[in-house]
Amino acid sequence: MSENLEFYHEPIMLNEIVKGLNLKPFSIVVDCTLGGAGHSFEILKFIPNGKLIGIDKDVEAINYSQNRLSKYSNVVFVRNDFKNYKSILSKLEIKKVDAILIDLGVSSHQIDTPSRGFSFRFDAPLDMRMDTSQKLTAKFVVNNYSKSELIKILKIYGEEKFASLIVSNIIKHRLIKPIETTFELKNIIEECLPKKIIYKSNGASKKTFQALRIEVNSELFGLESAIQDMIDSLNPKGRLAVLSFHSLEDRIVKNIFKYNATGCICPPNIPLCVCNHKASVKIITKKPLTASNLEQTNNPRSTSAKLRIIEKL
Ligand SMILES: C[S@@+](CC[C@H](N)C(=O)[O-])C[C@H]1O[C@@H](n2cnc3c(N)ncnc32)[C@H](O)[C@@H]1O
């Protein structure tokens, strides 16, 4: 097998994840965000008699990983959204698994491929779709969403404090002609921001582009219930690891993990438990793990990574 493939994505917190998944030779593992198979390539070394299910909604990720993992016969590739986890497993006639990984967000390949339209660093049609067969594009969002919807997206998903200013300028421009490209949008953003913000920030468009990407790919919607389906599918002692890069994602992960790790969830004023809720998992990472200083220096994309792991009881 050739490892001379073009660079796709540097797997983040690789050792922490492989160790944290507690893999055994017969483990059945689901990599919900296969990407360039950086994590899966390592995982496969630990499960010689097991099976790996690699899911990604981006056809380029599936094609690349099929090539990269071609020497392994124990891999099933699934081009789908991991939010359909339950039906994916059911179609494969798999009831229980031993380890699951979700490595959220975009791959370096997606961000660094100019034609995908994810980045303000390259001029390209405003696209940003991970799944190129889906209808919704960034161009549609920018040109058709209402002012209030756009402000909300920029504020919540991008934590952009100039959201109102930027959206007002977008609306002004789109009344003249549709905004078609990444550079048109970047110029519209920069036109309305104070000059010192543009010079000071590492890309004044970064937050707006991030917000649009999250909206286009519906990154937060359905995450909680997908994680619940994953927890339900774990064998006793099975592990689920989630790597997130955004505070909203991390909050969703933290809360659903906590809910599953909690026994009684009755209100405190009720003297006797009526909920019968039982803890189904143990939290392995009391606080989220972060990338080492060395990794953060070598790969700045790891700086915002938070890794949370649970184990099924
Ligand atoms: C950060 S990359 C994963 C990188 C991978 N762990 C590696 O080491 O190469 C995230 C990948 O997940 C995919 N992805 C994101 N959200 C997804 C979803 N809801 N369903 C399926 N794939 C998704 C993206 O297309 C992208 O390829």
Side-chain angles (χ1 to χ4, degrees), residues 4 71 121 147 155 199 226 252 259 261-263:
N4 294 325
K71 81 163 180 185
R121 290 180 290 125
K147 185 173 182 179
K155 273 194 179 156
Y199 291 124
I252 292 171
Y259 175 78
T262 308

Side-chain angles (χ1 to χ4, degrees), residues 119-150:
S119 173
F120 54 85
R121 290 180 290 125
F122 314 108
D123 198 13
L126 263 178
D127 190 317
M128 301 195 190
R129 290 170 302 168
M130 291 178 183
D131 171 2
T132 47
S133 69
Q134 88 172 31
K135 271 203 171 146
L136 187 68
T137 61
K139 183 178 156 195
F140 184 90
V141 174
V142 167
N143 289 292
N144 295 281
Y145 277 30
S146 70
K147 185 173 182 179
S148 60
E149 279 173 318
L150 283 173

